[in-house]
């Protein structure tokens, strides 16, 4: 057996196991573990693999629904999209590796999330990412941003899967711990889904893909620990990706599945060969024996059993084949140039047994590694609710035009063109809307059909920090609104719960409250959670990141021709606001960017109003409400309101449409709270001019909204009347009050501010 000069108890601490956890191992085994066995326990009991701090709370999520085929527990969630097809999707983090080695950390995050999807039998059709970086002035931020974006683009572009959407934000709270959350959506036949549970003993276990090296050893353990001054010395624990090998692996895996030879299959992600073998055998209630001598493909010489089992080398799979299908599988692997070998067999022992160099180096029961893994009900303190800020508590800006410019050019709101231009967004030729097209969600056509999938990712960490429960509700609601705003029926959610150290009661309080808020929103909106990931210990030297429970979501467009964006405004089109405006400015972008404050309660989320308003907007998009008797739809564009409120949404419509916008402010509410308030459940709609009769279009929508109990008001139009007499060709963003024009802002100046920040920031050497 492998040995180590350190005592097992001391090694256990080095591997991240608590003293009480090591005692639990001794109790389960009735003896001391050797190095290999201790390594297996340490990765399987890591936070990253076992969810030991969050598992009991994750059970609060609704996970079933009319369209749910497979919920949490498999590699990815599966939902029915009709016509014998399913969508398969998941989101996962690669935060710690991306901070240590940004290019490879982000690249392998993309590769890993794709494997989760095609392991289920689905062909990946789209990628998204949710990125959080530190203060732009921090000395590491520019290098990290450059490396992460290059890694995402370099991997996804080479594999040939479009990167169609995502989000990027900056905050000093991420200075020491950035977030890189990757999401993948795939498509499969409903009768072609593959699961990971081993079905019977006596079946061959086949390794295929790239060779095993020493990269990524203890990556799962590293992802379950805080950073400190020595973290950047951990580069050897970051995996190295090969997108060309991933492409071969996708094709070989799908071809192997099509033969009917696969009984169960699992990718080698976190904890590598250990987690894949343990999970396959454990889920099936079986055992597994692996022979690590010779047959297992190795990239480096003289690898120990410990290194082979804990390596997180990329682009590798583990399959259990049906009897007698080895030769058939071998021909496929040879065709695609992949390394492959039969390395073991399933058993009925309920144990994992490893042999290496003629000896048994591991013989432990599987139950303690999975069902009997530690589960903690950690103490948690709910944060004290913040006081609500009223509009009169917050001053108006000294100059409204300058305030709009400052908001639209701040790092969070500024155009991310520099980022998404590095991604291939249209490979596979089915992308209908993406980051560049002026829409709240990406839309990808289902090839050969009239259907399309819409997809998005969302969270507002400011709101979650201010009130984790309301912030959790808002993250789900905004994802639901984004899908609705393009015309899609929201189907289901995946998530990535990014928080600090759960052993601190105040952090655990954030986790519990956010999960409960998300769960309430999911129930109210019939928006079940079908997959996800938890990333904890995101902190450095005791400073936690802002709580960031990212929500990824997928919706269905039965007819892709009905999708809308918000780049359709032209002169004569009306702008209509759906939803109630009270002018909530607590925890708002306006408050932070104009006054350097992040205080106040976030805007409350009325889930009944969200449902009612969203259903109304979706019906308008599809022409089910107020159709013009002469044909055509009243609504030709929609944009949900979020950061920056009405002003930001109207500016984004103007820029995407290259059209002047004139807003008409109502009486009875302070102008700054009307423009910049971040009340929830709201949409800004673009109405067709109804063949030159805009008043008729407005009246039809107002009547339908009143009947549905939905607040609605006409707030502006695509405007040519605000051109200056001495500048006939200059378009303007303008706001008028009853006392006359409040301010005007040349669209060219707005565009320069919005588009200019990120290229200027990245223009210096990185």
């Amino acid at each position: 057996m492998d040995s180590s000069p350190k005592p097992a108890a001391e090694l256990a601490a080095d591997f991240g196991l608590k003293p009480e956890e090591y005692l639990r191992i001794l109790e389960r085994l009735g003896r001391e573990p050797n190095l290999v066995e201790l390594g297996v326990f340490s990765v399987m009991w890591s936070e990253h693999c076992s969810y030991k701090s969050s598992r009991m709370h994750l059970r609060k999520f609704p996970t079933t629904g009319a369209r749910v085929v497979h919920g949490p527990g498999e590699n990815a969630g599966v939902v029915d999209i009709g016509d014998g097809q399913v969508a398969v999707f998941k989101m996962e983090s690669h935060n710690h590796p991306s901070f240590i080695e940004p290019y490879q950390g982000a690249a392998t995050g993309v590769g890993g999330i794709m494997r989760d999807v095609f392991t289920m039998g689905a062909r990946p059709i789209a990628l998204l990412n949710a990125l959080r970086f530190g203060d732009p002035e921090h000395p590491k931020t520019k290098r990290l941003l450059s490396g992460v974006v290059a890694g995402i683009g370099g991997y996804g572009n080479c594999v040939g899967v479009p990167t169609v959407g995502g989000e990027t934000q900056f905050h000093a709270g991420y200075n020491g711990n950035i977030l890189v959350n990757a999401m993948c959506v795939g498509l499969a036949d409903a009768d072609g889904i593959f699961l990971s549970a081993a079905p019977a003993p006596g079946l061959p276990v086949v390794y295929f893909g790239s060779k095993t090296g020493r990269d990524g050893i203890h990556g799962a353990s590293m992802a379950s620990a805080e950073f400190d001054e020595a973290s950047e010395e951990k580069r050897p624990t970051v995996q190295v990706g090969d997108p060309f090998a991933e492409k071969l692996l996708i094709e070989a895996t799908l071809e192997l599945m099509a033969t009917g030879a696969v009984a169960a299959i699992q990718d080698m992600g976190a904890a590598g060969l250990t987690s894949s073998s343990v999970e396959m055998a454990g889920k099936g209630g079986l055992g597994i024996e692996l022979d690590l001598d010779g047959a297992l493909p190795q990239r480096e010489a003289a690898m120990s059993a410990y290194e082979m089992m804990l390596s997180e080398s990329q682009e590798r799979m583990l399959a259990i084949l049906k009897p007698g299908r080895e030769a058939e599988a071998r021909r496929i692997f040879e065709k695609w140039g992949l390394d492959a070998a039969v390395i073991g067999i399933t058993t009925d022992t309920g144990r994992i047994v490893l042999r290496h160099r003629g000896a048994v180096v591991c013989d432990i029961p599987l139950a303690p590694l999975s069902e009997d893994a530690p589960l903690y009900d950690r103490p948690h303190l709910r944060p004290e609710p913040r006081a609500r800020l009223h509009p009169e508590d917050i001053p108006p800006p000294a100059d409204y035009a300058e305030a709009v410019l400052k908001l639209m050019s701040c790092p969070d709101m500024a155009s991310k063109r520099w980022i998404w231009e590095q991604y291939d967004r249209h490979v596979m030729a089915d992308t209908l809307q993406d980051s560049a097209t002026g829409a709240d969600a990406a839309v990808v056509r289902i090839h050969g059909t009239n259907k399309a999938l819409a997809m998005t990712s969302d969270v507002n960490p400011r709101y979650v920090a201010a009130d984790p429960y309301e912030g959790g509700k808002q993250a789900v609601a905004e994802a639901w609104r984004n899908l609705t705003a393009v015309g899609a029926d929201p189907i289901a959610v995946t998530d990535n719960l990014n928080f600090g150290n759960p052993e601190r009661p105040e952090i655990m309080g954030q986790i519990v409250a956010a999960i409960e808020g998300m769960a309430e929103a999911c129930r109210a909106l019939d928006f079940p959670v079908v997959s996800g990931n938890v990333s904890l210990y995101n902190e450095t030297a005791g400073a936690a990141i802002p709580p960031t429970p990212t929500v990824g979501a997928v919706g269905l467009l039965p007819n892709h021709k009905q999708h809308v964006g918000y780049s359709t405004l032209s002169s004569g089109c009306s702008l209509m606001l759906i939803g109630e405006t009270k002018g909530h400015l607590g925890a708002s972008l306006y408050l932070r960017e104009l006054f350097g404050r992040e205080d106040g309660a976030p805007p409350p989320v009325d889930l009944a109003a969200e449902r009612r308003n969203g259903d109304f907007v979706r019906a308008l998009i599809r022409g089910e409400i107020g159709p013009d008797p002469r044909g055509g739809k009243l609504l030709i564009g929609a944009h949900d309101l979020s950061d920056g409120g009405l002003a930001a949404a109207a500016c984004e419509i103007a820029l995407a449409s290259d059209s002047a916008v004139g807003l008409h402010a109502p009486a009875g509410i302070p102008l700054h709270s009307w423009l910049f308030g971040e009340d929830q459940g709201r949409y800004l709609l673009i109405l067709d001019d109804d063949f030159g009769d805009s008043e008729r279009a407005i009246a039809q929508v107002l009547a339908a909204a009143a009947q549905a109990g939905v607040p609605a008001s006409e707030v502006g139009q695509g405007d040519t009347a605000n051109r200056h007499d001495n500048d006939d060709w200059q378009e303007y963003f303008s706001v008028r009050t009853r006392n006359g024009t409040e301010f005007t802002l040349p669209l060219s100046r707005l565009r320069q501010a919005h588009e200019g920040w990120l290229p200027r920031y990245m223009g210096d050497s990185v």
Side-chain angles (χ1 to χ4, degrees), residues 312-626:
E312 293 185 8
S313 295
Q314 297 292 286
E315 294 88 38
R316 300 182 301 158
M317 304 286 283
L318 198 65
I320 296 173
L321 300 183
K322 295 176 182 177
R325 307 298 289 270
E326 295 91 331
E328 189 175 4
R330 187 176 299 110
R331 285 193 295 271
I332 293 172
F333 302 142
E334 289 174 353
K335 170 185 173 180
W336 292 102
L338 299 177
D339 288 290
V342 176
I343 63 168
I345 191 168
T346 58
T347 69
D348 59 3
T349 64
R351 305 179 72 84
I352 178 170
V353 177
L354 307 176
R355 290 183 171 83
H356 184 51
R357 297 172 185 165
V360 173
V361 295
C362 175
D363 184 354
I364 54 180
L366 284 168
L369 298 174
S370 50
E371 297 93 344
D372 193 29
L375 176 61
Y376 296 123
D377 183 4
R378 296 198 185 277
H380 55 276
L381 293 175
R382 298 270 184 162
E384 288 292 325
R386 293 187 188 178
R388 179 184 169 187
L389 299 180
H390 299 279
E392 56 269 22
D393 299 330
I394 302 167
D399 184 315
Y400 275 94
E402 290 300 320
V404 170
L405 286 174
K406 186 165 186 178
L407 276 179
M408 295 305 293
S409 63
C410 77
D412 281 4
M413 289 297 296
S415 168
K416 303 305 185 295
R417 179 186 297 272
W418 182 90
I419 294 175
W420 50 251
E421 282 188 340
Q422 298 186 50
Y423 303 151
D424 190 335
R425 308 183 307 280
H426 296 281
V427 64
M428 301 177 78
D430 283 317
T431 305
L432 301 178
Q433 289 186 160
D434 60 61
S435 303
T437 52
D440 288 305
V443 178
V444 177
R445 177 177 50 208
I446 298 172
H447 199 77
T449 76
N450 289 325
K451 298 182 297 186
L453 292 175
M455 52 204 74
T456 186
S457 70
D458 291 285
V459 67
N460 189 322
R462 296 192 316 277
Y463 294 172
V464 187
D467 184 334
Y469 186 81
E470 286 296 321
K473 286 167 59 178
Q474 192 274 340
V476 172
E478 187 174 346
W480 196 85
R481 284 200 305 272
N482 282 350
L483 298 176
T484 292
V486 300
D489 294 314
I491 294 178
V493 161
T494 184
D495 61 60
N496 207 136
L497 308 181
N498 307 275
F499 291 89
N501 186 344
E503 297 170 49
R504 294 166 55 193
E506 65 274 20
I507 299 297
M508 197 65 215
Q510 292 177 341
I511 296 169
V512 173
I515 287 174
E516 291 177 353
M518 294 169 69
E520 181 185 345
C522 288
R523 284 190 295 270
L525 299 173
D526 288 335
F527 210 21
V529 178
V530 297
S531 61
N533 174 244
V534 173
S535 175
L536 306 183
Y537 295 94
N538 289 290
E539 54 183 79
T540 299
I545 60 164
T548 313
T550 309
V551 172
V554 169
L556 176 67
L557 284 138
N559 181 356
H560 70 74
K561 294 179 182 178
Q562 293 182 323
H563 78 272
V564 299
Y566 54 79
S567 62
T568 51
L569 183 73
S570 60
S571 177
C573 291
S574 298
L575 289 173
M576 179 162 285
L577 181 62
I578 298 296
E580 188 176 13
T581 298
K582 294 183 177 179
H584 284 280
L585 288 168
S588 68
L589 201 64
Y590 171 82
L591 192 64
R592 188 183 80 185
E593 295 299 322
L594 271 293
F595 300 98
R597 295 168 52 185
E598 297 190 33
D599 57 318
V605 180
D606 182 336
L607 292 169
E610 288 281 1
R611 183 70 177 262
R612 182 174 59 248
N613 297 354
D615 289 348
F616 176 76
V617 169
R618 202 178 311 107
L620 270 176
I621 291 173
R622 295 179 180 177
E624 297 167 0
I625 292 178

Side-chain angles (χ1 to χ4, degrees), residues 659-678:
S659 172
V661 166
L663 296 181
H664 312 303
I669 181 171
L671 180 60
H672 68 295
S673 58
W674 182 74
L675 280 173
F676 305 117
E678 296 180 4

Side-chain angles (χ1 to χ4, degrees), residues 34-35 119 147 204 221 234 238 428 477 480 502 594 646:
N34 62 37
L35 176 64
T119 297
S221 300
K234 297 178 180 178
V238 176
M428 301 177 78
W480 196 85
L594 271 293
L646 175 60

Side-chain angles (χ1 to χ4, degrees), residues 118-296:
F118 72 75
T119 297
M120 300 289 293
R123 179 172 292 279
I125 63 169
L127 294 164
L128 299 90
N129 53 76
L131 312 178
R132 265 85 191 179
F133 297 98
D135 186 336
E137 300 304 313
H138 190 275
K140 292 182 179 179
T141 298
K142 190 184 297 185
R143 177 183 65 84
L144 291 169
L145 172 61
S146 177
V148 165
V149 171
I152 291 169
Y155 204 99
N157 296 353
C158 290
V159 173
V161 178
T163 300
V164 297
E167 51 184 336
T168 304
Q169 295 179 331
F170 300 83
H171 191 279
Y174 303 106
N175 281 351
N177 206 127
I178 65 173
L179 301 184
V180 176
N181 296 171
M183 178 175 168
C184 181
V185 181
L187 188 66
D189 291 334
D191 59 359
I193 293 298
F194 289 81
L195 305 180
S196 56
L203 300 180
V205 179
V206 176
Y207 170 118
F208 66 99
S210 297
K211 291 181 171 67
T212 294
R214 291 189 171 96
D215 50 322
I217 292 174
H218 268 296
S221 300
M222 179 191 70
S224 306
E226 297 179 31
F227 277 152
D228 54 30
E229 294 79 3
S231 293
E232 293 202 40
E233 299 174 5
K234 297 178 180 178
R235 280 190 174 87
T237 66
V238 176
Q239 310 92 324
V240 177
D242 181 349
F244 299 104
E246 181 96 345
K247 175 61 175 174
L248 298 175
L249 193 61
I250 292 173
E251 301 305 330
T253 301
L254 295 179
E255 184 173 336
L256 178 65
M257 289 169 166
T259 67
V262 175
I265 191 165
Q266 176 79 36
D267 77 299
M268 294 190 216
L273 185 55
T274 292
S275 64
S276 56
S277 56
V278 167
E279 289 175 11
M280 293 176 82
K283 286 179 182 178
L286 301 173
I288 192 167
E289 291 188 8
L290 301 181
D291 187 348
L292 305 179
D293 282 324
L296 192 143

Side-chain angles (χ1 to χ4, degrees), residues 653-721:
I653 287 175
L655 293 171
S657 305
D658 198 21
S659 172
V661 166
L663 296 181
H664 312 303
I669 181 171
L671 180 60
H672 68 295
S673 58
W674 182 74
L675 280 173
F676 305 117
E678 296 180 4
D679 305 78
Q680 297 297 292
R682 298 188 299 160
Y683 302 80
L684 192 55
L685 308 183
I686 304 172
L687 303 187
D688 194 357
D689 67 358
D690 198 24
F691 303 95
D693 189 357
S694 60
E695 290 186 6
R696 186 168 177 276
I698 294 167
Q700 282 186 276
V701 175
L702 287 175
Q707 186 175 6
V710 170
S713 59
E714 190 266 337
V715 294
Q717 68 283 317
D719 199 358
T720 55

